[in-house]
Amino acid sequence: MKFLNILFLAFIALFFSACAASKGYDYSNFLQTKPRSILVPMPTNETAEIKASAAVLAHSLAPLSEAGYYVFSPALVNDTFKHNGITEPSEIAQIPLSKLKQIFNADAVLYLNVSQYGTSYQLINSKTAVAVEAKLVDINTANTLWERTVLAQQDSGGGSGGLLGILVSAVVNQIVNSVGDAGYDMSAQAMMMLYAPDCYDCLLRGQYSAKYMQDKQLTR
Amino acid sequence: MRYKILLVALCAFIFAGCAGDKSSALYYWDGSYTSANYKYLSDEYDLNEQISMLRDSEQRAYEKGLKVPPGFYAHLGLLYSNLGNMPQAKAYFQKEVELFPESKSYIEFLLTQDKTTKAKK
């Protein structure tokens, strides 16, 4: 009887420990593949801003490389597609992974989609936002290795009081933003967020990183 | 005398801390590779301007003893090949492969494709 009780308790303990483990982000596919190199094709773009894809891709380079991955030269990759008659990001997304592997021999492909980009103007305020959906796919098995969505945004708060002051500041903001390309700057911030390490659903570091396999969400 | 030793030790400790912080960056970034890609991908660029910007950046990385980021040499190779300077293009493609062996098959694919297109001409 005592033995059965202990067995029962052991089962309960096992059951709950399994529950605790499954609460974390599922990195099992990722840890099986352990990608070294990542191909990032031109992001698909749902916004009206033509330059959104270029800005998001360019700003992916530093954080993704510093995370420890080999990232293929985006300009060279895009020209390779162009020379083969493929110019639209949506067409690139249709290319079979086996074909991409044949040409690039990457370990994984990172598909990005820009769903918001740039500054929208309300009557007395303007808001700059960049939103990107990312999906990292195993080039051999097509398994999803990692997925994350980020949104970076900033409101231009009206300065000192009075409706006129607020109106003026909205106008000034519009001018500044259109010259300085606020979307470009905001996409830098968005991409820093997207590839940041050590959080619940963060991208794990790659093999060039000194902290490879020491990500906080793994060692916890 | 004892204080002096302590002071030296403290200094060493502080600077060791600094060195630790710096080593966390794997590559040399000054924004030029990022902006070169942004401009190239949005079709607003000048080949010679990009080449001189990236070669300056390469020089600064060398002086600081840091590596250029992945894809940097490949991008320079692309710029030279667009100028029709194939020897320089190949030299940079080769540098990319040496620094990052992950690029080997892709660069080989590009070089053989280049040969076949030339043969067709």
Side-chain angles (χ1 to χ4, degrees):
Chain A
M1 191 60 206
K2 219 174 191 180
F3 176 72
L4 274 181
N5 266 343
I6 292 169
L7 200 72
F8 182 63
L9 278 175
F11 259 111
I12 287 181
L14 193 75
F15 181 73
F16 279 103
S17 72
C19 276
S22 70
K23 264 185 184 170
Y25 187 88
D26 184 6
Y27 289 107
S28 53
N29 285 341
F30 192 102
L31 292 170
Q32 215 161 25
T33 305
K34 290 187 177 167
R36 289 184 72 94
S37 60
I38 298 180
L39 177 75
V40 196
M42 271 290 253
T44 49
N45 180 13
E46 291 175 11
T47 77
E49 296 282 341
I50 318 160
K51 288 177 164 183
S53 298
V56 164
L57 180 48
H59 281 305
S60 292
L61 296 169
L64 201 50
S65 304
E66 285 296 328
Y69 294 99
Y70 177 75
V71 185
F72 290 81
S73 154
L76 190 59
V77 168
N78 205 49
D79 274 16
T80 305
F81 286 131
K82 270 190 189 169
H83 290 158
N84 289 283
I86 299 158
T87 51
E88 291 297 316
S90 56
E91 291 176 301
I92 299 171
Q94 301 297 315
I95 302 173
L97 290 170
S98 56
K99 187 78 194 162
L100 294 179
K101 178 169 167 109
Q102 202 187 320
I103 296 170
F104 300 101
N105 197 26
D107 296 329
V109 186
L110 181 63
Y111 294 105
L112 299 174
N113 177 49
V114 189
S115 53
Q116 274 187 69
Y117 184 93
T119 307
S120 55
Y121 303 103
Q122 284 101 35
L123 188 60
I124 52 164
N125 199 8
S126 66
K127 191 178 83 180
T128 303
V130 173
V132 176
E133 295 143 18
K135 187 177 177 182
L136 186 68
V137 170
D138 186 320
I139 206 163
N140 290 307
T141 62
N143 285 338
T144 299
L145 303 178
W146 173 73
E147 268 182 295
R148 201 173 185 207
T149 301
V150 288
L151 166 67
Q153 60 180 347
Q154 192 174 41
D155 284 290
S156 69
S160 52
L163 185 61
L164 186 67
I166 293 167
L167 280 171
V168 169
S169 103
V171 170
V172 169
N173 261 313
Q174 278 192 41
I175 294 164
V176 169
N177 284 351
S178 59
V179 174
D181 199 349
Y184 181 74
D185 297 338
M186 190 56 70
S187 60
Q189 215 172 307
M191 292 305 96
M192 291 279 277
M193 286 163 66
L194 180 59
Y195 308 110
D198 293 330
C199 75
Y200 166 75
D201 62 345
C202 277
L203 178 65
L204 298 179
R205 291 178 175 90
Q207 299 184 23
Y208 281 113
S209 171
K211 288 186 180 171
Y212 177 56
M213 286 295 132
Q214 293 168 35
D215 304 273
K216 278 192 182 140
Q217 67 271 45
L218 287 180
T219 53
R220 201 184 299 146
Chain B
M1 190 60 201
R2 216 177 239 180
Y3 279 115
K4 260 189 189 168
I5 292 171
L6 205 68
L7 195 70
V8 169
L10 201 68
C11 279
F13 188 70
I14 288 167
F15 281 104
C18 288
D21 273 341
K22 267 185 187 166
S23 72
S24 64
L26 294 172
Y27 310 105
Y28 177 68
W29 299 97
D30 58 6
S32 56
Y33 180 55
T34 302
S35 88
N37 268 289
Y38 177 59
K39 286 179 183 163
Y40 195 99
L41 292 169
S42 45
D43 272 324
E44 285 176 6
Y45 63 98
D46 178 86
L47 282 177
N48 290 306
E49 188 193 309
Q50 289 224 341
I51 285 175
S52 72
M53 183 173 78
L54 290 179
R55 292 205 62 164
D56 285 350
S57 174
E58 180 191 11
Q59 183 60 32
R60 284 193 296 273
Y62 176 78
E63 281 161 10
K64 288 185 192 311
L66 290 166
K67 283 181 187 172
V68 296
F72 183 98
Y73 285 138
H75 188 98
L76 262 172
L78 169 70
L79 298 174
Y80 277 113
S81 97
N82 286 354
L83 274 183
N85 186 344
M86 281 322 283
Q88 273 285 37
K90 277 179 189 164
Y92 274 110
F93 285 146
Q94 216 51 53
K95 277 188 168 188
E96 177 78 20
V97 175
E98 276 162 29
L99 195 57
F100 299 105
E102 293 88 345
S103 64
K104 193 167 184 251
S105 343
Y106 176 41
I107 299 295
E108 275 172 4
F109 165 84
L110 290 174
L111 294 177
T112 51
Q113 209 188 32
D114 181 59
K115 267 179 204 155
T116 52
T117 50
K118 265 182 191 155
K120 274 178 200 164
K121 276 173 194 167

